[in-house]
């Protein structure tokens, strides 16, 4: 080589040192890269799980081996040894058989192969035959036909030979089995004894820390068949919306939540803990098996995430967030729109599939939230999917002049809660963003508010129709009797009085909160109105949900007298003052110049007198505040509600919520909504807004608990949808049940009756259970639908001794049908009460009549005047002459057989049957005879 | 401190920042002393002090530590390094030639080195070093991938890849067909045309500044001010809604800026002549057409008599015309910026009827 050191541009030995150093760097970097890729956080959990499982299995193995009875084990082992010794004695015979078996088997192998090869050739000729015919090559076809016939015979012969070989082989095998029989049985017996331990050993072997498991989980090798790996579930049909398309939902949660479906991990630490409700979720036999539903469809979060933060876990509160930050380096996934729901709101995930129903079984938080949303009437101002066609929350104001004085209306609108602290009506004025001064005028908002409220009052009274209520005379009533009636006829099923409401222990809404709280009612409405309202509510307001209690004039005037005693001090800081005409003008200019030129607006106003301006102002303010969302108001019957649509609110991205200056509010959708519920106007703070730009959301005085429940419900309103076939689709009868449920809720049937195990709210006020309104358990299977429809149309009391009255609801024909169908649907009853024709003959009514006397049915079921030995009124039962048209014959049979099964807690004694046995052999016939008699009794 | 930060924020507003960058750029290019070894280090220290101290500010820190923005940081340094290296060499050569010496590179020109090991070995070493650094980078700064695009939750600010931020900044001043199609096209065409326009043999094979003042100055102006500075601006100073944010300012997505601009035709007809806009767009836009034509012809012509007198004499008219078209197109960007900043000018020519706006 002619190269010399001096010819080089660089010092080569120094380059070599550089090379060495860089090579080392590269190796270190590559190792680091592999390690970084290998060292995934989920592996830590899987290793920990394996360790815990080893421990658990070790303990289980110990317990299982302790269970094995020592003597049985030794006996089984001895027997096995014995069998084996015996086998040794027959060694020669066995080896002889073995040889024969090998010979026969090889013979079979050869024959079988020949057969299959020949069969292949046969099939080729078959094909040739078909082709020749297709080409009309008759000569060829004929030759092939002849060949096929020959070959067919040969094939048949070969088949017989093959079967013969198999038979011979099986005969030898049978002989061998016979010789080995004792050993096989002894072995099976032993295996049976050690079964549990063996099973554990088998599982242990797969998770042992042996070289095999270590090697397959080693870096660079773990692509083949590792035991530590990402677990994933692909629930069929469920998708994940990637905005411009959908992909399959892939849930990887079980990569770390390894014990989720195994009850043995109940007490294990997270993330291994068992799902708390395996009866309903996750378990294969539950209604929501893991493989069909996955995790994130209900819980939210990022399905594919396998790292703590990247799974979009959501901390319960600030404290937990801090804990997570320390423990897991937690940070929020900013790009994930639907983070995991926290424990308080899990049920918000249910409604995606459980659509079309008011209540979801077991989802207590959701149901309570929904009740509250309906109670406060959120749907009055906001369009919400699933809350359509609901009755307005407040009363109609079309005839307000008959009911109230303008002075009272003014006070009420100023702040309803000051007049009636338990009113559902929210506060609209004097809230934080509409008080104080403006542009250096310290009295601006107080003057403006006065003018606006005066305007509303002026509009309402101006448009109010009047009836003759006001002038009609009201008979004098007795307040004591009135109170008795109030407390007995059933008013309290829907109405509470004053502080009574605070004593209710209820999550969500009690049926007793259905109607308005009646505190201060005397200060509110006039005597004449109260009296006529009680007598016939619908004549005043055809849309009201208040039913007709069929009160006599005297009763109505007594209750009126009692209600007049419910007076409270209604002097509030807001007495009616006249409006400042300049202010009225100014506000109207605000409104009018929004939609028309200032000059036109001014001209319009200048042409009006002061009263007309006030009325116009009222119309504008009502339109802006959306009073018509809850009240029927003349001129606003068709106006669209004022609030934002909330149908997708739960899935709205966080950055669409303006927190403005509310720095104390945690940065989450949930916290934003919750704060809005409690302090609806607070987001206006520190913003420069013109009067008409300010927030209009009224203040409901919700408790924190209520705000949480409502918020949880709002979170369930998402745009995320589940394919129809994956939803909980209602059957025809479930749909009828759902329709009926809505009606039952809208008329508050549960105020009095227990329906589907819920309700009967009024019962708590009636001590004697004999006076409770009837429990409607299994009602659909009990009564004839025709009778129910007739009964709802024209109520005729079944139990005249009850003080509580079934009101007349004045249902439409359709609604009556809905009720009847509802009860049949929930009781799973057929709509034909006479399923068998022979029931209509009532052959045994004669002997039934005797039994009727014998069992003294009429003692408790009086048909006319009470007999001398009649029990007290509370022990009475319905008149049996009603049975014919009212009850289903097959129900009477079940009822007489075992009353408790038909109506838990009934006082009806068991005459024929108890504890799974009839008292006499004749009992079944007697029951049928009684039924026949009842069905003919006039 | 807050007051100081506010001042710095103001300093970085587009008008001042680009203006100061331009002034600074010319001072750099025309001052020989800047290209000494000392000032290389001074430059590095100044940059490091700026980024290091600014990183103490939480708002600036948030922006600068985003994985997407690390390359820009590196780019700021490397732009300085490469610029310094070439200019330093050019100044050295200029000084040598003043003394009658050949340029530095001449001494090397006769020299030959071995492909192996001198070339290939060092290339290998460089490969190893860069490869290792890239892997380390990728381990510690994960790729800033986000979730699938979501129309309900689009990122704000929506930014182009860092190397296109100069183009995106251009979109503030020009319509997409110009800023996104014509100008980028002209950049590519112009770069390809340079060898055909620039026939100056001086500087072949060695760095020199004095012999190529026009070429180097205006190339670097295009590269440093109109590309690197705009990328810096787009990365660190443009926040939500592409609003300007000072380096120490919080990126408030609700920030509002009054962006009320008007067209030249409105200036002309309404403001100066106090009459309504002509209904015919051809008449309406006459001032715009005149201004644009004048810009391309008159400026080019004036330059032949003044700044580029000598150059024009050495060139054919066609070649000069092409050079001017490219040069004036490039200068149209800073010019429009100035017009926007000082006169709120929206469009010189505005024909919304045909989506044609300049």
């Amino acid at each position: 080589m002619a190269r010399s050191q001096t010819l080089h541009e660089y010092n080569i030995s120094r380059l070599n040192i550089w090379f060495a150093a860089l090579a080392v760097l590269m190796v270190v970097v590559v190792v680091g890269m592999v390690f970084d890729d290998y060292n995934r956080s989920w592996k830590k959990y899987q290793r920990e799980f394996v360790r815990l499982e080893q421990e658990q299995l070790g303990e289980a193995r110990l317990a299982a081996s302790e269970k094995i009875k020592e003597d049985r084990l030794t006996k089984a082992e001895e027997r096995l040894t014995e069998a084996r010794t015996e086998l040794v004695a027959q060694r020669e015979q066995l080896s002889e058989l073995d040889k024969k078996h090998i010979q026969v088997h090889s013979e079979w192998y050869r024959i079988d192969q020949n057969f299959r090869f020949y069969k292949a050739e046969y099939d080729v000729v078959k094909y040739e035959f078909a082709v020749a015919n297709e080409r009309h090559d008759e000569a060829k076809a004929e030759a092939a036909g002849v060949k096929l016939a020959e070959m067919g015979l040969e094939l048949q012969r070969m088949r017989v030979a093959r079967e013969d070989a198999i038979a011979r082989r099986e005969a030898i095998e049978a002989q061998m089995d016979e010789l080995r029989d004792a050993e096989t049985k002894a072995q099976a017996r032993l295996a049976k004894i050690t079964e549990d331990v063996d099973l554990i050993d088998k599982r242990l072997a797969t998770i042992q820390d042996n070289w095999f498991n270590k090697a397959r989980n080693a870096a660079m090798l773990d692509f083949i068949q590792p035991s530590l790996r990402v677990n994933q579930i692909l629930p069929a049909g469920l998708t994940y919306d990637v905005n411009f398309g959908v992909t399959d939902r892939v849930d990887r949660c079980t990569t770390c939540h390894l014990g989720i479906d195994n009850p043995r991990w109940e007490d294990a630490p997270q993330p291994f803990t068992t799902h708390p409700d395996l009866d309903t979720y996750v378990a294969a036999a539950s209604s929501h098996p893991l493989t069909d539903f996955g995790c994130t469809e209900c819980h939210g979060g990022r399905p594919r995430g396998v790292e703590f933060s990247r799974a979009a876990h959501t901390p319960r509160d600030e404290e937990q967030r801090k804990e997570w930050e320390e423990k897991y380096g937690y940070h929020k996934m900013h790009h994930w729109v639907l983070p995991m729901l926290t424990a308080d709101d899990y049920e918000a995930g249910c409604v995606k599939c459980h659509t079309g129903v008011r209540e979801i079984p077991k989802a207590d938080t959701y149901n309570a939230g929904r009740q509250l949303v309906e109670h406060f009437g959120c749907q009055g101002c906001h369009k919400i999917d699933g809350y359509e066609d609901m009755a307005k929350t407040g009363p109609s104001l079309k005839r307000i002049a008959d009911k109230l004085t303008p002075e009272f209306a003014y006070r009420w609108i100023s702040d309803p809660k000051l007049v009636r602290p338990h009113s559902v009506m929210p506060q609209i004025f004097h809230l934080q963003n509409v008080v104080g001064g403006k542009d250096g005028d310290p009295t601006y908002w107080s003057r403006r508010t006065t003018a606006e409220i005066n305007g509303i009052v002026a509009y309402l009274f101006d448009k109010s129709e009047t009836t003759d209520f006001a002038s009609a005379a009201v008979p004098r009533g007795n307040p004591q009797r009135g109170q008795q009636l109030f407390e007995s006829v059933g008013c309290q099923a829907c109405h509470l009085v004053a502080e009574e409401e605070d004593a209710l222990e209820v999550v969500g809404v009690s049926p007793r909160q259905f109607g308005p709280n009646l505190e201060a009612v005397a200060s509110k409405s006039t005597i004449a109105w109260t009296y006529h309202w009680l007598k016939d509510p619908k004549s005043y307001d055809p849309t009201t949900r208040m039913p007709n209690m069929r009160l006599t004039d005297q009763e109505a005037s007594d209750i009126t007298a009692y209600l007049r005693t419910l007076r409270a001090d209604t002097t509030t800081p807001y007495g009616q003052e006249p409006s400042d005409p300049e202010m009225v003008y100014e506000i109207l200019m605000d409104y009018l110049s929004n939609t028309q030129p200032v000059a036109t607006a001014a001209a319009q106003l200048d042409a009006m007198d002061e009263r007309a301006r006030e009325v116009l102002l009222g119309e504008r303010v009502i339109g802006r505040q959306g009073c018509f969302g809850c009240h029927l108001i003349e001129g606003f019957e068709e106006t669209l509600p004022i609030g934002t649509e909330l149908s997708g609110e739960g899935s709205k991205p966080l950055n669409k919520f303006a927190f403005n200056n509310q720095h104390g509010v945690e940065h989450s959708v949930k916290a934003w909504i919750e704060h809005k519920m409690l302090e609806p106007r607070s987001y206006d703070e520190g913003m420069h807004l013109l009067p008409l730009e300010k927030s209009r959301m009224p203040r409901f005085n919700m408790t924190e608990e209520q705000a949480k429940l409502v918020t949880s419900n709002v979170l369930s309103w998402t745009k995320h949808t589940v394919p129809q076939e994956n939803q909980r689709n209602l059957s025809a009868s479930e749909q009828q049940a759902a329709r009926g449920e809505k009606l039952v809720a809208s008329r508050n049937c549960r105020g009095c009756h227990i329906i589907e195990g819920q309700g009967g709210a009024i019962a708590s006020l009636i001590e004697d259970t004999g006076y409770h309104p009837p429990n409607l358990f299994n009602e659909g299977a009990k009564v004839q639908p025709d009778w129910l429809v007739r009964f709802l149309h024209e109520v005729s009391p079944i139990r005249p001794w009850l003080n509580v009255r079934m009101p007349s609801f004045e249902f439409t024909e359709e609604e009556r049908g809905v009720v009847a169908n509802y009860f049949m649907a929930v009781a799973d009853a057929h709509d034909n009460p006479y399923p068998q024709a022979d029931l209509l003959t009532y052959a045994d009514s004669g002997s039934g009549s005797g039994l009727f006397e014998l069992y003294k049915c009429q003692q408790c079921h009086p048909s006319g005047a009470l007999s001398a030995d009649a029990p007290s009124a509370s022990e009475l039962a319905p008149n049996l002459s009603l049975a014919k048209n009212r009850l289903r014959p097959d129900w009477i049979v079940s009822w007489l057989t075992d009353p408790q099964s038909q109506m838990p807690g009934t006082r009806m004694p068991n005459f024929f049957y108890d504890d799974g046995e009839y008292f006499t052999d004749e009992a079944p016939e007697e029951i049928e005879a009684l039924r026949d008699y009842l069905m003919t009794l006039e | 401190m807050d007051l100081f930060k506010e001042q710095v924020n103001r300093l970085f507003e587009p008008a001042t920042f680009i203006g100061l960058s331009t002034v600074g750029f010319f001072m750099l290019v025309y001052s020989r002393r800047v290209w000494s070894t000392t000032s290389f280090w001074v430059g590095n220290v100044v940059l490091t002090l700026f980024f290091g101290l600014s990183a103490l500010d939480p708002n600036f820190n948030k922006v600068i530590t985003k994985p997407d923005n690390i390359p820009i940081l590196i780019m700021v340094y490397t732009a300085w390094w490469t610029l310094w290296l070439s200019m330093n060499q050019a100044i050295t050569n200029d000084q040598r030639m003043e003394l009658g010496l050949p340029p530095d590179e001449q001494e090397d020109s006769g020299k030959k080195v071995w492909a192996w090991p001198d070339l290939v070995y060092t290339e290998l070493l460089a490969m190893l070093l860069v490869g290792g650094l890239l892997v380390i980078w990728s381990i510690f700064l994960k790729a800033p991938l986000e979730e699938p695009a979501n129309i309900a939750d689009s990122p704000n600010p929506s930014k182009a890849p860092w190397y296109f931020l100069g183009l995106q900044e251009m979109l503030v001043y020009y319509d997409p067909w110009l800023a996104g199609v014509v100008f980028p096209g002209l950049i590519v065409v112009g770069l390809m045309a340079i060898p055909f326009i620039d026939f100056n043999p001086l500087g072949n094979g060695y760095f020199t500044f004095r012999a190529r003042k026009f070429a180097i100055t205006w190339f670097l102006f295009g590269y440093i001010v109109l590309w690197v500075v705009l990328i810096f601006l787009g990365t660190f100073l443009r926040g939500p809604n592409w609003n300007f944010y000072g380096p120490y300012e919080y990126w408030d997505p609700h920030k509002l800026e009054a962006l009320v601009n008007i067209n030249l035709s409105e200036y002309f007809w309404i403001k100066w002549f106090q009459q309504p806009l002509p209904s015919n767009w051809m008449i309406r836009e006459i001032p715009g057409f005149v201004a644009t034509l004048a810009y391309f012809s008159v400026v080019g012509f004036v330059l032949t008599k003044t700044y580029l007198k000598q150059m024009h004499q050495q060139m054919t008219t066609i070649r000069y015309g092409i050079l001017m078209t490219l040069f004036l197109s490039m200068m149209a960007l800073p010019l429009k910026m100035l017009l926007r900043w000082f006169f709120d000018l929206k469009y010189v020519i505005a024909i919304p009827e045909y989506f044609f706006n300049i």
Side-chain angles (χ1 to χ4, degrees), chain A residues 259-292:
Chain A
I260 198 74
D261 57 348
N262 190 338
R264 278 207 321 251
W265 294 87
E266 219 168 57
D267 302 320
Q270 281 295 11
F272 309 130
T273 322
T274 314
H275 194 285
D277 187 1
L278 283 184
D279 292 338
T280 319
Y281 306 101
V282 175
S286 70
S287 46
H288 304 78
L290 187 61
T291 43
D292 293 357

Side-chain angles (χ1 to χ4, degrees), chain A residues 31-44:
Chain A
V31 170
M33 182 179 73
V34 170
F35 180 75
D36 184 58
D37 185 52
Y38 177 72
N39 187 29
R40 313 277 297 276
S41 61
W42 56 266
K43 284 192 180 158
K44 193 177 77 195

Side-chain angles (χ1 to χ4, degrees), chain A residues 8-9 16 36 243 302 655, chain B residues 118 121 142 147 149-150 153:
Chain A
H8 289 298
E9 179 74 13
N16 286 341
D36 184 58
N243 312 310
R302 188 171 165 273
N655 59 20
Chain B
D118 296 275
Y121 201 15
K142 302 290 180 212
E147 292 308 324
N150 184 348
D153 191 15

Side-chain angles (χ1 to χ4, degrees), chain A residues 40-57 203 207 209 217 227-228 255-259 265 267-273 328:
Chain A
R40 313 277 297 276
S41 61
W42 56 266
K43 284 192 180 158
K44 193 177 77 195
Y45 296 113
Q46 294 209 343
R47 284 197 200 99
E48 174 68 7
F49 187 76
V50 165
R51 195 184 63 74
L52 289 173
E53 196 180 4
Q54 282 169 350
E55 249 170 48
Q56 212 183 63
L57 286 177
R203 171 76 192 138
I207 59 169
D209 293 322
N217 291 321
S227 66
L228 304 181
T255 303
C256 298
H257 292 282
L258 288 152
W265 294 87
D267 302 320
Q270 281 295 11
F272 309 130
T273 322
Y328 310 107

Side-chain angles (χ1 to χ4, degrees), chain A residues 2-4 7-10 12 15-20 22-23 25-26 29-30 32-34 36 240 242-244 302 310 333-337 653 655-660, chain B residues 108 111-114 116-119 121-122 124-136 138-140 142 145-156 253-254:
Chain A
R3 261 189 290 172
S4 78
L7 271 174
H8 289 298
E9 179 74 13
Y10 303 104
I12 299 301
L15 285 188
N16 286 341
I17 293 170
W18 269 105
F19 178 70
L22 287 175
L25 172 80
M26 204 63 196
V29 156
V30 168
M33 182 179 73
V34 170
D36 184 58
Y240 160 58
V242 286
N243 312 310
F244 297 100
R302 188 171 165 273
R310 299 183 68 81
M333 282 288 289
H334 286 286
H335 304 297
W336 198 255
V337 179
N655 59 20
K656 301 281 184 288
F657 290 87
F659 286 78
N660 295 347
Chain B
D108 282 350
K111 211 159 99 186
K112 289 191 168 134
V113 290
W114 296 96
W116 173 265
D118 296 275
L119 177 64
Y121 201 15
T122 46
L124 174 72
L125 293 181
M127 217 163 72
L128 280 175
L129 183 67
V130 174
L133 289 178
L134 283 175
V135 175
I136 291 172
S138 70
I139 291 174
F140 287 102
K142 302 290 180 212
L145 297 180
E146 298 179 5
E147 292 308 324
N150 184 348
I151 27 176
D153 191 15
S154 53
N156 189 5
H254 306 296

